Amino acid sequence: MHRETVENVAFRAGYLAILTFMLLPLAVVVATSFEASGQLLFPPENYSLVHYRAFFEETRWLSAFDNSLLVGAGTTVVATTLGVTAAFGHELDDGRTGQLLAPLVLVPLLIPPIILGISMRVYFVRAGLNASFLSIILAHTLWATPLVYFVMRSVFSRFDWQLLDAARDLGAGPIQSFVYAVLPNVKHGIFVGGLLAFIVSLQEFVMALFLSSHSTETIPVVAWTALRQSLDPMVSVVSTFLILISIIAIVAATVATNLEWLSKQLS
């Protein structure tokens, strides 16, 4: 018993040390965003919100922020639709085609993003979609769809497929049976997959760098351009906003997947 206690404490201490090591850079980014001077200093010599006020007055940053939200929303819709339908189809037909689907879905995640960016830039230029929002959305969808797909595979593995059979026996068509029998039971998983796709799109940089122009550049692209010129605290301000959005998304996903537990705690 004593040995198990020591091992448990050692495991938790190691886990906490790794977690702290991973979160410390984020704390540094947030702290440097409050530096009053025009340089990145840690720890800050003087704390101020001057760069936050400057952010809301800078047209280029605000435009890039809007672009990131637009691309993220578009990627979420497309990737979630493809990921859910692919996982659903795999569950319905788990034959030879289904067995080949999972490895194929992984392919975009295994290709370096710089190769994807160059290849898609050449392709989209020929297709007349160069530097458009659609090209960036489609590029981000390549990375986001596999993540949604595997989330939904896990969700569907816990679904009672007899409900779908019962809906069909009662005369429901394919769309009706999915909407009324499947969707209510997997909607939280779809929500989590959509949030994951949004976060991936919001922070993706390499492909957006190759596919964007001045009018379609996203926050990571503008931040990279600013860092090439100088170490501006504005980059830390924007990074803080991205961190905050990611935290909100993670909390929302956690709440969505634990609504029953949360209702019991509040009752």
Side-chain angles (χ1 to χ4, degrees), residues 16 19 23 33 47 52 89 93 109 132 180 217 220:
L16 183 61
L19 183 63
L23 293 180
S33 69
Y47 291 87
Y52 284 87
D93 182 14
L109 298 178
S132 64
Y180 293 106
E217 57 187 0

Side-chain angles (χ1 to χ4, degrees), residues 27-254:
V28 172
V29 169
V30 174
T32 54
S33 69
F34 294 99
E35 169 59 43
S37 68
Q39 298 179 345
L40 282 177
L41 299 176
F42 183 81
E45 297 179 352
N46 297 294
Y47 291 87
S48 174
L49 296 175
V50 60
H51 297 294
Y52 284 87
R53 289 193 295 267
F55 170 79
F56 289 103
E57 297 173 355
E58 184 65 41
T59 304
R60 187 183 183 189
W61 284 109
L62 293 177
S63 177
F65 196 81
D66 292 340
N67 293 344
S68 293
L69 294 180
L70 176 61
V71 171
T75 301
T76 300
V77 172
V78 179
T80 302
T81 301
L82 293 176
V84 171
T85 53
F88 184 67
H90 191 174
E91 293 295 334
L92 294 180
D93 182 14
D94 197 17
R96 181 176 299 179
T97 303
Q99 294 176 357
L100 292 174
L101 181 61
L104 288 177
V105 170
L106 276 173
V107 170
L109 298 178
L110 302 177
I111 301 176
I114 188 170
I115 296 179
L116 286 176
I118 295 174
S119 302
M120 285 187 290
R121 178 174 178 83
V122 174
Y123 173 78
F124 287 133
V125 167
R126 292 180 176 274
L129 296 175
N130 183 37
S132 64
F133 286 115
L134 180 59
S135 64
I136 305 175
I137 290 173
L138 294 177
H140 287 182
T141 299
L142 276 178
W143 268 18
T145 299
L147 302 179
V148 178
Y149 169 79
F150 286 109
V151 168
M152 293 310 302
R153 284 297 308 277
S154 176
V155 172
F156 283 134
S157 67
R158 299 189 298 271
F159 175 69
D160 185 3
W161 292 97
Q162 292 182 350
L163 295 175
L164 181 62
D165 295 334
R168 290 176 173 175
D169 292 340
L170 293 173
I175 297 179
Q176 286 182 318
S177 59
F178 178 83
V179 172
Y180 293 106
V182 180
L183 185 59
N185 295 282
V186 300
K187 58 184 179 182
H188 299 318
I190 295 176
F191 179 71
V192 172
L195 284 179
L196 189 60
F198 181 79
I199 293 175
V200 168
S201 174
L202 192 68
Q203 304 190 26
E204 200 285 324
F205 160 67
V206 178
M207 289 186 289
L209 177 64
F210 282 98
L211 299 174
S212 64
S213 64
H214 183 74
S215 60
T216 60
E217 57 187 0
T218 58
I219 282 290
V221 175
V222 177
W224 178 77
T225 304
L227 283 175
R228 290 186 63 192
Q229 299 173 355
S230 63
L231 294 177
D232 190 351
M234 185 68 74
V235 176
S236 295
V237 171
V238 176
S239 300
T240 301
F241 281 126
L242 294 180
I243 293 171
L244 182 61
I245 293 174
S246 299
I247 292 175
I248 293 174
I250 293 173
V251 171
T254 303

